[in-house]
Amino acid sequence: QVRLVESGGRLVQSGGSLGLSCAASGRTFETQSMGWFRQAPGKEREFVARIVWSGTDTYYADSVKGRFTISSDYAKNLVYLQMSNLKPEDTAVYYCNADSRSGTQYWGQGTQVTVSS
């Protein structure tokens, strides 16, 4: 099992910046990549960003490319999402995700990000 705990979500003004953190524990050696997803009210959960644990490969949704940056600290089992130029449409619950080599997906409990206009 892999346990994921997100932190950092809060209310922020449009155009502002915010950083999220995800702490992974348990059988983290089984995971190969970490990601962030988000779910806005009334919408499906959507992909935001992903990083391979080695840190060499990152992927972003088009909607956040150039504004969000995903990074990781493998030694500390931490994953970060730095968000800038936030927009009201970025308002959502942000979930940390771990992708294991077996195909099992692990999820955190989510952290609320609210961007006011």
Side-chain angles (χ1 to χ4, degrees), residues 7-117:
S7 61
R10 61 176 175 87
L11 173 65
V12 63
Q13 288 190 335
S14 181
S17 299
L18 185 65
L20 303 181
S21 298
C22 172
S25 61
R27 301 174 66 88
T28 57
F29 57 87
E30 295 182 349
T31 61
Q32 55 187 357
S33 70
M34 300 289 292
W36 289 93
F37 287 70
R38 67 186 182 186
Q39 187 166 18
K43 295 187 177 181
E44 293 187 355
R45 191 172 298 188
E46 64 175 4
F47 168 75
V48 174
R50 178 162 296 282
I51 186 167
V52 178
W53 268 122
S54 65
T56 56
D57 296 316
T58 57
Y59 307 90
Y60 297 93
D62 288 342
S63 58
V64 307
K65 205 170 292 185
R67 300 188 298 122
F68 290 11
T69 301
I70 189 170
S71 61
S72 65
D73 185 334
Y74 183 72
K76 296 181 179 179
N77 289 328
L78 292 169
V79 179
Y80 308 99
L81 185 69
Q82 182 62 40
M83 305 181 289
S84 62
N85 191 21
L86 282 162
K87 306 175 182 179
E89 51 263 42
D90 294 319
T91 295
V93 177
Y94 282 71
Y95 295 91
C96 183
N97 166 268
D99 176 32
S100 74
R101 293 180 177 83
S102 68
T104 301
Q105 300 292 316
Y106 297 96
W107 298 93
Q109 82 289 347
T111 186
Q112 176 70 48
V113 173
T114 302
V115 184
S116 64
S117 57

